[in-house]
Structure formats: structure tokens, C-alpha cells
Amino acid sequence: MEMVSPEQHPNKAFAWAATDSSGVLSPFKISRRKTGKKDVALRVLYCGICHSDLHKVKNEWGTTSYPIVPGYEVVGVVTEVGSKVEKFKVGDKVGVGCMVGSCQSCDSCANNFENYCPKLILTYGEKYHDGTTTYGGYSDFMVVDEHFIVRIPDNLPLDGAAPLFCAGITTYSPLRYFELDKPGMHVGVVGLGGVGHLAVKFAKAMGVKVTVISTSPNKEKEAIEHLHADSFIVSHDQDQMQAAMGTMDGIIDTVFAAHPLLPLIGLLKSNGKLVMVTAPEKNIQIPAFSLLMGRKMVAGSRIGGMKETQEMVDFAVKHNVTADIEVIPVDYLNTAMERLAKSGVKYRFVIDVGNTLKSTS
């Protein structure tokens, strides 16, 4: 095993955690397991802030156990590898996404869809195989099974790459799986936030015609001029919606807030696919005839498997796809969460963990 000194790699880690449903984050010490035979230890350099982090720290989904250390858009550098690690070495630049464990024996795992394993272990807030709690990337280092580590090529900016490990794969995977990636196809993207802007970027890189669908008319210039979407529809403008009826091969819906799906289904061509990649706050109802008339599909997609995540990163390097970010120090976290709740960021906050966590803690 390649080793570093205990002083460089202590079992105790510095982190920022929420300890109750107020959602306020503050410095916190956690324990990380020792690096096992198949483990990779990494020093965290950057960590993106996902909208799910906001829900989790406030226990808005009713599933949070405290203390909780969020963060599953993690990039860093390898500091130690176990004796049976084959794919990584000390000094490699790597990323960690939404999951750190699965059963490795079910059909989903066998087919590289670990994200759908019934025993999936998320990067934070869950119990690991050894019974310990998983803690995320709002911390100075992590220890992760090498199977759930992704290599980052040298020419991909690390800060802009961090959101790829959640928001990026969340949009890349359905575009690929539902075959909405063919040049000349027409794909709609609902919502232009942290997830939606990456859906636009990946779809455009695949050669797809992209229409952004938003409730905010003031986002049109940004969508067209900056993100290079081909067109823009204000979803509550009936004339614009009517003009686009039956024109789209697929739609990637990235909106967390409750919203009607029937108008979106109307935008689809026959055999079109509406894919939801986030969980709206309220349950949805869909009239069956809206699907029967045109053999249309409403589907869901949740992140992606590890093989696909590596493929996504390699595609991002080739096509220069990174997130539009605002880099923040760790002591700005609570303000960032307040702004995120009001959609006050273009388009993703990324914490500069490597340069700001230790001094703050």
C-alpha cells in the first residue's frame, strides 16, 4: 500500500454539517474509516452544492438523520490507495458522485446500473456496509471504494467539473439511454437552473436541436446567446406552447417545483418521451389518453451508473462541457443555501474546499 503519514491523513476529518432541521451548517469533526484494500483516499478540492443538499439539511423529505455532512459533487486528488486498488494511484485527479456503495451482485449492478441497485448507498446520510454513516464532500478528505471513483483527465477544470458528478450525469444519462442524442433531433429542456443548463450543454454537444421551456421570460437571452439553445418557450404563453405542439422528440424535465405535465406531453411528437430527472414536491397525475394518443412515454431517470459516469466525464472533456459556477469559500455556505432557495445563482455554487476549509475550521 502506498502510504502517507498519519499527520497528513488523520482518521478525523474536518467538515461542515447540519445538526438539526434549521439547516444551518457549521464546522464539525467527523471520523473516516481507514483506507481498506480496495479503497481510495482523496483530499477534497471542490464540492458542488446541489438543490438536494438544501432539502436534506432542512429534512424537507423527512428522511434526514443528524448530523449530516452534504456534498456529492466532489473532486479531489488521491492521497492513498489500498493494496488491491488497480485503477488509481496517488496524485490522480478524481471525482465522487451520488453513490459510494451497492450490492455488486444484482441485475442492475451486473449491467452497470449501480444507481438502480436496491441496496444503493448514497454518498451522505446513509449507512455504509460496515454500519458507519456516510458523510459527503463538505469535508477535507474522503475514503471511497475504487469502484465508485471516476478519473478526471488533466485538461478538465476541477471547479467546473464538480457539478458534472450529479447535475451532469443526471442529464447525460437520459439523453443517452432514451436515444435523444441523435444529431437533428429536437429536445426540450424544462427549467434553466443548475441541472437544466447542463442538459442544454450536453444536448447541444450531441448535435441536438434544443428548446428551453421556462416560466421566466427573462431567461430567454441567457438561453439563446450564452447557452446557445436554438429556441425558447415561455411555458405560460399559450400561443408559444400551441405553436410548438407535436414538435419534440423528447423533453428533459429538470424542475423541482410542482408543475403540470399535460402541456409538456402535448409538445411531444408521436413516440416522444418526457423524462423527469428530479422529484417534484407533489405527486403528479396524468390522463391516460394523453399518452395513448401518440404512444408517448413519461419516464424517470436517476443519475447514472459508474461506467456511464466515466463516459460522461470523457465526453465533457472532448466537447468542453463544464458547469457555469460561482466558487465560494466554505464560510459562505449558509448564505449560498439561502440564495439557492431563491434560485439566486448562475448556475451552480462550488465550494473551494481545498483552500478554505482548514483555515475556517
Side-chain angles (χ1 to χ4, degrees):
M1 181 186 296
E2 296 182 58
M3 298 295 293
V4 294
S5 71
E7 291 76 22
Q8 292 174 297
H9 186 69
N11 199 37
K12 293 289 184 182
F14 287 117
W16 273 56
T19 57
D20 58 49
S21 60
S22 70
V24 174
L25 293 138
S26 58
F28 197 83
K29 287 186 178 180
I30 58 173
S31 295
R32 297 288 193 188
R33 70 176 184 271
K34 293 181 179 179
T35 308
K37 293 180 180 180
K38 295 288 289 181
D39 284 338
V40 171
L42 63 138
R43 180 167 63 90
V44 177
L45 299 178
Y46 296 99
C47 185
I49 301 178
C50 176
H51 209 281
S52 296
D53 297 346
L54 180 62
H55 289 295
K56 292 288 285 186
V57 297
K58 292 180 176 292
N59 196 26
E60 291 177 348
W61 290 333
T63 59
T64 302
S65 297
Y66 297 100
I68 186 168
V69 176
Y72 44 45
E73 296 181 341
V74 184
V75 296
V77 61
V78 176
T79 59
E80 182 182 4
V81 296
S83 59
K84 293 187 176 181
V85 169
E86 299 176 351
K87 297 184 293 183
F88 302 98
K89 65 183 185 303
V90 170
D92 284 347
K93 297 171 184 177
V94 295
V96 180
C98 298
M99 52 187 173
V100 293
S102 68
C103 75
Q104 295 292 289
S105 60
C106 68
D107 286 345
S108 292
C109 288
N111 287 291
N112 300 308
F113 296 124
E114 301 93 339
N115 48 316
Y116 299 121
C117 174
K119 296 182 180 179
L120 175 71
I121 302 173
L122 297 177
T123 301
Y124 69 84
E126 297 207 343
K127 293 297 181 184
Y128 196 64
H129 300 299
D130 60 4
T132 59
T133 298
T134 59
Y135 295 118
Y138 295 13
S139 59
D140 58 358
F141 81 91
M142 298 178 69
V143 179
V144 182
D145 185 299
E146 77 162 329
H147 184 80
F148 296 92
I149 297 279
V150 173
R151 182 179 305 279
I152 300 177
D154 287 338
N155 51 341
L156 190 64
L158 293 183
D159 51 2
L164 298 181
F165 290 94
C166 177
I169 188 60
T170 291
T171 56
Y172 180 90
S173 180
L175 287 167
R176 289 297 198 204
Y177 181 81
F178 292 102
E179 298 183 335
L180 299 174
D181 56 352
K182 307 297 186 290
M185 278 187 158
H186 185 189
V187 172
V189 174
V190 186
L192 196 61
V195 179
H197 91 289
L198 282 171
V200 174
K201 288 191 175 192
F202 276 119
K204 288 297 296 181
M206 293 170 184
V208 171
K209 176 184 177 183
V210 177
T211 295
V212 172
I213 305 161
S214 174
T215 60
S216 304
N218 60 0
K219 291 186 177 182
E220 180 173 4
K221 183 177 180 180
E222 178 78 6
I224 302 294
E225 296 183 7
H226 177 63
L227 296 173
H228 307 296
D230 298 278
S231 55
F232 186 92
I233 295 174
V234 179
S235 58
H236 53 76
D237 186 315
Q238 295 305 311
D239 291 339
Q240 291 185 23
M241 293 289 285
Q242 184 64 37
M245 291 280 284
T247 64
M248 299 181 189
D249 298 284
I251 297 173
I252 306 296
D253 189 341
T254 72
V255 174
F256 274 97
H259 58 285
L261 298 188
L262 190 58
L264 300 176
I265 294 170
L267 299 177
L268 295 171
K269 298 176 181 178
S270 294
N271 303 306
K273 303 155 186 172
L274 169 59
V275 187
M276 307 187 69
V277 299
T278 58
E281 297 159 350
K282 297 180 181 179
N283 290 332
I284 56 175
Q285 291 186 331
I286 304 169
F289 272 104
S290 67
L291 305 179
L292 300 178
M293 304 305 290
R295 193 163 56 188
K296 299 175 183 180
M297 175 191 300
V298 175
S301 182
R302 185 190 193 195
I303 53 174
M306 295 312 303
K307 180 180 179 181
E308 190 173 45
T309 302
Q310 184 67 66
E311 175 191 302
M312 178 269 302
V313 169
D314 294 340
F315 180 92
V317 172
K318 182 178 180 180
H319 295 275
N320 195 30
V321 176
T322 56
D324 289 4
I325 60 171
E326 180 179 335
V327 178
I328 63 168
V330 70
D331 60 4
Y332 190 76
L333 252 177
N334 291 304
T335 302
M337 287 290 188
E338 292 173 4
R339 286 177 54 193
L340 181 60
K342 300 174 182 177
S343 301
V345 58
K346 284 187 178 181
Y347 283 98
R348 207 67 156 183
F349 285 117
V350 172
I351 310 164
D352 184 354
V353 176
N355 289 317
T356 67
L357 179 57
K358 289 184 178 179
S359 60
T360 303
S361 299

